[in-house]
């Protein structure tokens, strides 16, 4: 019987000093082989892959990384901006406005550093996608045992559903604002649910059409919230002090936790590793892979800078308008537009509708990327292959059905929707370890990443950031459950759930350590055999 460990080693990218210098996993045998069918079956359709190489460069072999090209950077631009949508979803927007209303400008420094931490995780996700030619869900399917793989898939789906409920309801609230209350929340949910058919149509038209739609939506958010910033005229001096000077008060800890907790979205970690494969990069050519990583680093950094500025606009607007007021503790996504209208009125264009347009763009763009992420997560973990429209429809149904139930149940008051949003934030926070731990485990494995595995310094930094974010979310969970859980029976169920939750995290971390040991032993034995030979 063939050792599965050896089998995976044979399928890994080889180092430059290997005999053929190629990634054996992607070599196509001349004879028919089941793996060939799998490879073709998992490859994206041709209209979703952009050839980023210049015509005259296609046959060139570079001994070093090809020189920088603005034209090439433009061709690589797209995946990072789709990824950045998760930093701008309605959950993040609500976290921004609450941080501004309760803490003023004092948490802007934390927003900056949280965005940088999110950028680090997303760059690692892009790295694993480019270097392996597979996305994170596919790699998890191959690396973990079946029970762990199914559990990871379940956790990813739970996080995705929680995020999607927030995003769909955010879009529905925006539609209600823009129709002067004519459309109830549940009707807005139905309208928003049809984005899966838009995705299918745009994918058939080509990847650039889909990316163009997101460019329009991001631009709409930027213009809307910048317009609000200009209308309300926040203090530029206090804004810069808030960015530069770290400050954290005892009354703003909860808002600070919310700011940090929103930067790493579980489904976005899986999504970015798949999006980068829309550009044709041959994993067999190490210098080409490095070139792609360089361009994705620039593109993702620019995209998250744009998202940071949009989040900053929202925080500053509500810091100027509501910090220190009686509305500060009660403001939420549902009533924020009305509070803005009462305070700042109409102007050339009523600020209520500017808010509604920006919120609609945030909600609609994030629901589309959520559907997109759901396809990759489901197909990657479960190895399901189906028509694009059917995959989008099934993924959408996972979120729309519970969202419709929630919209009908919680449409009684503003307070009930805010409580719902708090629960959904908790739900997503709980899933962060089950995206981040597999990511950091896989990206540090030589048998998966080859020469592109991260070094010890970057690995320590990434784990430090991950542990910090998980501890922050752990504080949020502890604070929430201590306030919300009452009664012995409910307390016992929560305690049992926490034990299982922590046990699975320990398993994932210990699995990483055990795999490291087994691979070290295998490499040592291979060296001994090579020396004897």
């Amino acid at each position: 019987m063939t050792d599965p460990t050896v089998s995976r080693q044979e399928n890994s990218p080889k180092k430059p000093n290997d005999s053929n210098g190629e990634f054996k996993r992607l070599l196509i045998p001349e004879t028919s082989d089941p793996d060939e069918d799998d490879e073709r079956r998992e490859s994206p359709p041709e209209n979703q892959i952009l050839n980023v190489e210049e015509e005259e460069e296609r046959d060139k072999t570079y001994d070093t990384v090809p020189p920088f090209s603005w034209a090439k950077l433009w061709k690589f631009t797209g995946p990072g901006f789709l990824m950045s949508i998760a930093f701008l979803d309605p959950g993040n927007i609500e976290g921004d406005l609450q941080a501004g209303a309760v803490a003023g400008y004092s948490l802007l420094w934390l927003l900056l550093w949280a965005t940088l931490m999110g950028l680090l995780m997303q760059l690692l996700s892009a790295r694993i996608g480019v270097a392996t030619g597979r996305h994170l869900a596919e790699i998890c399917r191959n690396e973990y045992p079946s029970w762990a793989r199914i559990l990871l898939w379940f956790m990813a789906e739970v996080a995705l559903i929680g995020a999607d409920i927030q995003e769909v309801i955010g879009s529905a609230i925006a539609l209600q604002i823009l129709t002067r209350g004519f459309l109830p929340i549940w009707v807005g949910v139905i309208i928003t649910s049809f984005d899966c058919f838009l995705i299918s149509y745009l994918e058939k038209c080509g990847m650039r059409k889909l990316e163009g739609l997101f460019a329009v939506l991001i631009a709409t958010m930027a213009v809307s919230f910048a317009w609000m910033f200009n209308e309300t005229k926040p203090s530029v001096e206090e804004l810069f002090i808030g960015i530069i000077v770290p400050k954290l008060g005892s009354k703003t800890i909860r808002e600070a936790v919310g700011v940090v907790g929103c930067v790493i979205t579980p489904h976005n970690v899986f999504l970015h590793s798949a999006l980068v494969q829309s550009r044709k990069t041959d994993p067999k050519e190490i210098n080409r892979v490095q070139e792609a990583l360089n361009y994705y680093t620039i593109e993702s950094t620019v995209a998250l800078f744009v998202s940071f500025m949009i989040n900053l606009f929202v925080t500053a607007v509500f810091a100027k308008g509501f910090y220190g007021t009686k509305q500060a503790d009660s403001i939420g996504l549902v009533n924020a537009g009305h509070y803005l209208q009462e305070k700042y009125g109409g102007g050339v264009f009523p600020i209520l509708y500017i808010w509604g347009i920006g919120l609609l763009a945030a909600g609609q763009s994030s629901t589309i990327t959520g559907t997109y992420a759901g396809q990759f997560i489901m197909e990657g973990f479960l190895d399901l292959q189906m028509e694009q429209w059917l995959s989008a429809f099934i993924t959408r149904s996972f979120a729309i059905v519970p969202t419709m139930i929630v919209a009908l149940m919680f449409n009684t008051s503003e307070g009930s929707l805010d409580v719902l949003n708090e629960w959904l934030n908790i739900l997503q926070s709980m899933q962060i370890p089950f995206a981040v731990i597999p990511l950091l485990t896989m990206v540090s494995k030589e048998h998966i990443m080859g020469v592109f595995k991260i070094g010890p310094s970057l690995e320590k930094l990434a784990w430090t950031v991950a542990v910090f974010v998980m501890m922050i979310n752990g504080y949020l969970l502890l604070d929430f459950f201590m306030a919300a859980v009452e009664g012995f029976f409910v307390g016992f169920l929560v305690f049992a759930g926490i034990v299982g939750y922590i046990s699975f995290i320990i398993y994932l971390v210990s699995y990483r350590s055990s795999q490291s040991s087994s691979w070290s032993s295998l490499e040592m034995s291979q060296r001994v055999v090579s020396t004897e030979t």
Side-chain angles (χ1 to χ4, degrees), residues 86-102:
F87 291 72
L88 299 168
D89 65 13
N92 281 51
I93 299 298
E94 183 162 27
D96 294 335
L97 67 89
Q98 289 174 344
V102 175

Side-chain angles (χ1 to χ4, degrees), residues 245-258:
V245 180
K247 187 187 299 183
L248 186 63
S250 58
K251 296 181 180 179
T252 61
I253 291 179
R254 193 174 186 86
E255 284 68 34
V257 170

Side-chain angles (χ1 to χ4, degrees), residues 294-514:
N294 293 343
Y295 285 123
Y296 284 131
T297 299
I298 297 172
E299 185 235 6
S300 297
T301 302
V302 172
L304 288 195
F305 174 76
V306 173
S307 75
F308 168 73
M309 292 302 299
I310 293 174
N311 285 317
L312 182 145
F313 289 152
V314 176
T315 303
V317 165
F318 285 87
K320 170 67 188 307
F322 303 100
Y323 177 56
T325 66
K326 62 180 181 180
Q327 299 104 324
D329 293 325
S330 61
I331 196 166
L333 208 60
V334 179
N335 56 22
H338 298 290
Y339 283 153
L340 285 168
Q341 185 69 15
E342 289 174 4
K343 192 167 186 70
Y344 296 105
V348 178
F349 194 69
I351 198 168
L352 173 65
Y353 298 117
I354 300 173
W355 167 255
I357 291 171
L359 182 59
L360 180 62
Q364 196 59 52
S365 58
S366 55
T367 56
I368 295 175
T369 55
T371 303
Y372 213 39
Q375 295 178 46
F376 290 120
I377 289 171
M378 183 175 65
E379 294 174 1
F381 275 112
L382 303 183
D383 195 22
L384 296 178
Q385 301 297 323
M386 58 186 70
E387 292 291 334
Q388 200 75 19
W389 69 268
L390 181 59
S391 175
F393 177 77
I394 293 174
T395 303
R396 206 81 195 95
S397 300
F398 282 162
I400 290 301
V401 172
T403 302
M404 184 64 69
I405 296 172
V406 163
L408 294 173
M409 289 178 60
F410 287 85
N411 196 28
T412 55
S413 68
E414 296 175 358
S416 62
L417 280 174
D418 288 336
V419 171
L420 168 67
N421 188 64
E422 190 174 10
W423 276 94
L424 292 174
N425 284 336
I426 296 297
L427 183 67
Q428 292 176 77
S429 297
M430 293 177 65
Q431 312 310 318
I432 288 177
F434 308 119
V436 171
I437 294 176
L439 171 66
L440 299 187
T441 297
M442 303 308 168
V443 81
S444 59
K445 298 297 184 187
E446 188 170 0
H447 75 278
I448 294 175
M449 300 293 296
V451 296
F452 293 102
K453 78 165 189 172
I454 58 176
S457 299
L458 182 56
E459 185 177 3
K460 289 176 183 177
L461 175 62
W463 277 103
T464 301
V465 169
V467 170
F468 174 72
V469 172
M470 287 188 281
M471 287 178 63
I472 287 288
N473 283 281
Y475 171 85
L476 179 63
L477 294 174
L478 182 63
D479 179 68
F480 181 80
F481 282 120
M482 287 182 66
V485 175
E486 297 179 357
F488 173 79
F489 181 70
V490 175
F492 176 78
L493 291 179
V494 170
F495 176 76
I498 291 174
V499 170
Y501 175 83
I502 295 176
S503 298
F504 191 41
I505 292 177
I506 293 173
Y507 166 79
L508 291 176
V509 175
S510 61
Y511 183 83
R512 170 183 177 272
S513 301
S514 64

Side-chain angles (χ1 to χ4, degrees), residues 259-275:
V259 169
V260 176
C262 290
V263 297
I264 299 178
T265 310
H267 73 266
N268 207 39
V269 173
F270 290 100
L271 175 64
H272 201 193
S273 64
L275 290 174

Side-chain angles (χ1 to χ4, degrees), residues 51-124:
N51 194 334
V52 295
E53 296 180 7
E54 301 290 346
E55 192 71 36
E56 64 274 11
E57 290 186 347
R58 290 179 185 172
D59 296 327
K60 288 184 180 179
T61 301
Y62 282 95
D63 296 328
T64 59
V65 177
F68 176 82
S69 164
W70 287 103
K72 185 75 72 71
L73 176 61
W74 170 247
K75 291 182 178 181
F76 275 99
T77 298
F81 282 90
L82 268 69
M83 169 273 296
S84 72
I85 293 296
F87 291 72
L88 299 168
D89 65 13
N92 281 51
I93 299 298
E94 183 162 27
D96 294 335
L97 67 89
Q98 289 174 344
V102 175
Y105 303 94
S106 64
L107 295 180
L108 289 177
W109 67 274
L110 191 58
L111 175 63
L112 173 61
W113 283 100
T115 303
L116 293 175
M117 289 189 290
L119 174 62
L120 173 61
M121 292 300 163
Q122 294 305 145
L123 290 179
L124 293 180

